[in-house]
Amino acid sequence: MSEPAHAEELSGLLARLDASSSGGLEAAEASARLEKHGKNKLPEPARKSTLVRILEQFKNPLVLTLIAAAAIAVVVGSTAAEGSFLSRFGDAIAILLIVILNAFLGYYQERRAEAALDALQKLSAPNARVRRGGKVQVIAAEDVVPGDLLELEAGDAIAADARLVQTIDLATEEAALTGESSASVKDALAPVPADAPLGDRVTMVFTGTTVVRGKARAVVTATGSGTELGKIGEMINSVGDQKTPLEERLDSFGTQILRACLLLSAVLLGWGFLRGGRPWHELLLEAVSLAVAAIPEGLPAITTITLALGMQRMARRGAIVRKLPAVETLGAATVIASDKTGTLTQNEMTVRFVYAGGHRYKVTGEGYDPHGEFKAEDGAEVDQDKLPAPLTYTLATAALCNNAHLDQDKETKKWRIVGDPTEGALLALSAKGNMARESVAPSHQFLHELPFDSDRKRMTVITRDHHGREIAHVKGSVDVLLPLCVKFAADDGVRGMTDEDRHAITAEAERMSSEALRVLAICRRVRKQGHEEGDVERELTFLGLVGMMDPPRAGVKEAVETCKLAGIRAVMITGDHKLTATAIAKEIGLWEEGDEAITGSELAKMGDEELARRVEHLRVFARTTAEQKLRIVRAFKSRGHVVAMTGDGVNDAPALREAHIGVAMGMGGTDVARQAGDLILADDNFATIVEAVREGRAIYSNIQKFIFFLLSSNMGLLVAVFVVSFIGTWPPLTPLMILWINLVTNGLPALALGIDPPDPQLMREAPRPPDAGLLGRRDYLGIVYVGGIMGAAAIALYAMSPQDEDSLLRTRALAFSLLALSPLFHAWSCRSPVLSAFASRPLVSLPLLLACAASAAIHLVAILIPALRPVFRTYAMSPHEWMILIVLSALVVPAVEIAKAIDRAVRRRPPGAGAPAATPGLPPAS
């Protein structure tokens, strides 16, 4: 088996590819290879039709049950010999309308198709310069084939994965693939081990990256889906759509309700056949009525609307949701796996410290913004308009020995870099000390440049100043430049360098490195014109050291602390180096005692089972590839965690898809990451994730509230319908009556509960257990308790009524109104699982007040308008009946308040006082 392209001997690689390092392929050979290997582009993503996407909205078990109930209602309506069309088919029409409404609400919110592979395709260069038949040609990038010889220079987008043949000061920007914030320096002749991670393959260039400086020639080794970018695309496809915990819980919950409905309906239908004496279509209608009573028809639509409203609130806070259930999923997160570059950090190299003249200076200001100050480490004041000479020399040399450019966006006013990020940081540093290149360069004439390369580890620019002196401005590695220095720029002038100076410089460089700073030495050599010809990079004067890093984002440290309070474990997954990543983790408070860091190379030697065992102790994952990020997410999932993955690069996309919720950066992220994510941070602020978590928890708590409200109200219906149907002589509620209660009178209060203000303590609670259901044991007891009270009140009306047919029909109308109005009182008790309805704050929820008032008014329409009475089978009620109706409807409030008071007393019982019995009648714990 041959070595991978990055480690293979260049001569062997060229022979294997049948390629030339000078003339390139012949036109005929290129055409043959294009036919054999295909176009240099990624496969088109599979498309779902609009019809398929709409049909997918009907997969919920509750929705399927409703469709079945509607079908039965159509059959029953068809067998009825009398009545208007609306009275015969009104039940089926009402059921189908709510099903269709829910489907289109879901489709509308999720209509944007996944376009991750489309975004990958856009990353590819539209054109490429290749050498064919000894001549350079510009061709379409999709026509590049293995063996082609690419000609690269600064600014080029790389069209295919290629092995470098020749390099001249080459550096590429690979953050989208590797996650590294600094440019990757390339060297065609450097030895690279076969197992080197992607970020260390200095002999290769990759599709989707760009050249930031230098020139190169490279032979193409892979095109299309065979490139590193293509492999990521295949991983994205292989992951597929992941169900969120809320979707899984709703599916499970719907299945449970479906089974209960079928069982109860079968029991009622069987009892009717055994008892005999009634036509089959009446028995079937009763069974349908029972199913309709048990199913909370408004649940799918109200859940969809609640999530959509939550989506709008999150969008106002800078979090854009692409998939509705993802609104809630962050609230369930137990692990946030965060990318470092651009997520926890700014993805902008920034000089933090400068050492010059024997003094250390702290530099303020972030990123490439040219505004900032210098502060002495010992607290001494620094005159910003008259900096010490050694510091001024250092800044001037940093500005002149530089090929980057700073540019300010006209719209956002944000400073950005054109070129190498390291050189951009040096330009910003110089500008902060009033030594911007624009002010320094006019007094210097550019003569020559010795570009950086991996052997010399330094860069030199030679200029002639206005005094006629030739000055070599040098920057590079400390261990390379320090031995070349013979002089030292001190505050009192340039003098010979002593051993003490060397020890101090070395100690400072080591100190900066231990703080995960990238350290560069700045030197210069002055010579008179025409004198001392020869090597200019000798007998240098040491000017200073600069320590730079990609700094943490503002607010990240506070956001990490909030995650800790909320019981969420934050981990860092990055393509950067282990030391740098660990230092950032410690700076932002991510690192705790006992935590461990691991590199991609170590991870590659570890099996999935071992990774799953160790993952709870691993806090930093460094130098990781896209595939390894995917493994890490899966390891956390295998431990039962709900995983939120944040990222901004192409290499993050597969893990974003695999996680329960993928959080992509909207400003600095790639299109691929944004399309793969479920939630997009419009402001790229990690702190926004915390707000999204808070919103997600509030939404889940409110979903529990309205589910408890709907189920407890439906339990009252179920008890009444089941008992009345068993009696046989009492007329049961019609399906239209039940649907009216479920959808019209119960729907608006449930929706109001869905937007109830969140509990301020939500972010001080641990995440709910990943295996927890939507409702707990206490909740189901409460549903039975509340439903029993409502159902018993309706049954009492039947029992106290005269048993003649006319009286019982009037009683049914009264029971209909009772079961419609009682939930409007009960809704106020559902605002808190523990607090009294009279202790909730605010005491009066305006949305809930308006919802209850509107529901009551709508229901009165069915009673007070004579034309609607035959449809709903209602009658005009006497004052005495109104009084009975209101008293019985409000009975649920004191009943629940008593249960809550008992529960609070039990909770306050001191330890050792005995195990308390479960107390029913409470809304779900939030």
Side-chain angles (χ1 to χ4, degrees), residues 98-113:
I98 192 62
V99 167
I100 293 170
L101 173 64
N102 176 71
F104 276 95
L105 277 173
Y107 170 74
Y108 176 76
Q109 297 293 343
E110 299 174 14
R111 70 187 187 280
R112 292 180 179 268

Side-chain angles (χ1 to χ4, degrees), residues 316-354:
R316 287 195 292 270
R317 296 181 180 183
I320 301 167
V321 180
R322 296 183 63 249
K323 190 177 181 183
L324 277 181
V327 178
E328 172 275 337
T329 307
L330 260 184
T334 58
V335 169
I336 296 180
S338 177
D339 182 40
K340 178 185 76 70
T341 305
T343 306
L344 295 172
T345 63
Q346 299 177 26
N347 195 19
E348 295 180 349
M349 292 299 288
T350 305
V351 175
R352 304 290 289 269
F353 295 99
V354 178

Side-chain angles (χ1 to χ4, degrees), residues 250-271:
L250 285 173
D251 284 350
S252 174
F253 185 64
T255 301
Q256 293 173 12
I257 292 180
L258 174 59
R259 290 172 180 169
C261 289
L262 292 176
L263 177 62
L264 291 173
S265 296
V267 169
L268 189 61
L269 192 61
W271 169 252

Side-chain angles (χ1 to χ4, degrees), residues 640-658:
H641 287 287
V642 176
V643 183
M645 169 75 188
T646 75
D648 62 348
V650 176
N651 60 326
D652 298 316
L656 289 173
R657 286 285 295 274
E658 174 68 28

Side-chain angles (χ1 to χ4, degrees), residues 331-405:
T334 58
V335 169
I336 296 180
S338 177
D339 182 40
K340 178 185 76 70
T341 305
T343 306
L344 295 172
T345 63
Q346 299 177 26
N347 195 19
E348 295 180 349
M349 292 299 288
T350 305
V351 175
R352 304 290 289 269
F353 295 99
V354 178
Y355 177 81
H359 307 289
R360 190 188 219 217
Y361 301 92
K362 182 177 181 180
V363 186
T364 65
E366 300 293 352
Y368 302 127
D369 191 333
H371 303 95
E373 294 182 342
F374 293 83
K375 297 182 178 180
E377 187 179 30
D378 58 6
E381 210 170 298
V382 178
D383 187 348
Q384 305 298 318
D385 296 323
K386 193 176 181 182
L387 298 176
L391 182 55
T392 301
Y393 296 153
T394 300
L395 301 182
T397 294
L400 292 169
C401 188
N402 204 306
N403 288 320
H405 300 276

